[in-house]
Amino acid sequence: MRKIHAFQSCSKFFISRTSSTSRSLASQRFLASAAFSRPYTVSSAGRDFTSFFCHNQLWSSRSDGLKPSDITRVRGIAHAVAEPDAVHVTPAGFKEVEVLTPRRLLRIYAQLAKSRLTILVVLTAMSGVALSPLPATVPILLSTAVGTALCSASANTLNQLQEIPYDAQMARTRQRPLVRRAISPLHAAGFAAVTGVAGPAVLWFMASPITACLGAANIVLYAATYTWLKRKSVSNTWVGAVVGGIPPVMGWTACGGKILPSADYPIHLFLPSYFTEAPLDMSMIDNPLGAFALFMLLYSWQFPHFNSLSHFIRGSYAQAGYKMLCVLNPQQNALVALRHSLLLVPICSILFPLSGLTTWAFAITSLVPNAICIRGSWAWWRRCGEKEARVSFQNYLWYLPVMLALMMVHKQGLEWRRWVGMQDEVPSDGADVPKSKL
């Protein structure tokens, strides 16, 4: 009887210990499941910058073991369960998907197209139309704007489709429509396909085939080459600069301008009047050097503009695993921006007047904006600080519209004093005064 009683006592003790262990494991599983199902935002103040360099494949597959960040979340939930009156925790937190009304759908399409970037692309394309010496009609102007906007919308949407898991890791991109599932990837792919076909089609039939080919090439360069290189090589910035330099060339070709020299369209240099006694030949302004000048202006502008922006968001790029120069070598990133800031001086003061797009007075007036921006880029390169990077970024926000406005003021053959009535229009030697479009 004593043996039976002892056995029963041992059995009860074992069962009670097993039950407590099971309850403990069950509670841990509940807390872990709540931690995974509950949305959580880690404070950036409590993280070290070096933690951003963890490879993304370490987090790609879910494992049974808990990571340190999960343990922190479990502790937070355990504290909330211990004190239910202090914090209310919903284990399975979720947010219902909004109904896609026409108004919300248009807003989502604008976000997929990156509306502010698309507007900038359209404005630079219009600058090519405005600075071209060839005549342009209103249908060509509108079709170029619409076709360029559609091409930009397609490229930006395809870019976001490929970067959904990486955008989710960056604070500035985690609210994009595809990341927060405001629209399905299939729906976004359909939007990209429609705009990617409609954009080049509008440019082909309403502007010119060359403009349509440039628009299609820009979609491929941005959505395929640039997006793929962002995780492979720092050369992605140079490819992105080419993408940014093409829109003004599209505006140039939409008016009928050529981008390659030929016997009918040779390269002609417009030297200052004190270097040559030959009269100004307005018929030679339409030469490929003008298209090259427009491309180089936007190409070189991309580097100080984007490099300064990427400097103070380099933590997000590192967190998402992008191979950007601002992450791998911030000092070199600032140096590249400074080089192109200096390169913009001969582009504006030599290349543009030499091509005939502007008068040589533009070579002097353009020095003031260039000097201000070079000073900011120099200070950023010397100190490599976030404050200096922000100053440089703000400088190159106003730099481009100011330069384009100065080019219009000093456009070759456009006499503003005659337009405002300050000077009479008197033909020289009985010749007809060349007319130029606005």
Side-chain angles (χ1 to χ4, degrees), residues 106-345:
L106 288 176
R107 185 170 66 249
I108 290 174
Y109 284 160
Q111 292 173 349
L112 288 175
K114 300 180 183 177
S115 56
R116 289 184 295 181
L117 178 60
T118 297
I119 290 173
L120 176 62
V121 170
V122 172
L123 290 177
T124 56
M126 293 299 97
S127 68
V129 177
L131 290 171
S132 173
L134 298 174
T137 60
V138 174
I140 290 180
L141 186 69
L142 294 178
S143 60
T144 303
V146 172
T148 304
L150 291 172
C151 291
S152 177
S154 177
N156 290 322
T157 304
L158 292 172
N159 170 264
Q160 293 184 54
L161 277 168
Q162 300 174 71
E163 297 184 343
I164 296 175
Y166 312 120
D167 286 344
Q169 302 177 56
M170 300 172 62
R172 72 183 189 93
T173 57
R174 63 182 52 158
Q175 292 300 320
R176 286 179 175 176
L178 289 168
V179 176
R180 54 188 173 90
R181 299 183 179 181
I183 191 174
S184 66
L186 183 61
H187 191 161
F191 173 73
V194 171
T195 53
V197 173
V202 170
L203 294 174
W204 182 283
F205 292 105
M206 298 298 295
S208 69
I210 298 178
T211 309
C213 292
L214 289 174
N218 235 15
I219 295 176
V220 175
L221 276 176
Y222 187 81
T225 309
Y226 170 73
T227 303
W228 180 79
L229 279 174
K230 284 173 71 175
R231 300 185 63 82
K232 300 295 181 181
S233 172
V234 296
S235 61
N236 66 82
T237 306
W238 280 259
V239 176
V242 173
V243 174
I246 289 179
V249 182
M250 294 172 62
W252 177 273
T253 57
C255 297
K258 305 298 181 181
I259 56 177
L260 296 176
S262 63
D264 297 330
Y265 293 92
I267 294 178
H268 182 76
L269 302 180
F270 290 80
L271 299 175
S273 58
Y274 49 84
F275 281 165
T276 177
E277 297 180 356
L280 184 65
D281 189 359
M282 297 295 295
S283 63
M284 300 301 294
I285 294 181
D286 177 26
N287 72 89
L289 195 60
F292 178 71
L294 290 170
F295 172 82
M296 286 303 301
L297 174 69
L298 269 295
Y299 175 81
S300 290
W301 173 81
Q302 300 284 327
F303 290 94
H305 169 72
F306 176 76
N307 287 22
S308 57
L309 170 65
S310 65
H311 181 81
F312 52 83
I313 60 171
R314 63 190 185 279
S316 297
Y317 281 125
Q319 185 177 8
Y322 290 123
K323 290 189 176 180
M324 311 298 291
L325 192 60
C326 61
V327 175
L328 301 178
N329 194 338
Q331 190 73 27
Q332 184 71 19
N333 182 58
L335 179 59
V336 171
L338 177 61
R339 288 172 180 171
H340 283 273
S341 298
L342 295 172
L343 183 59
L344 283 169
V345 175

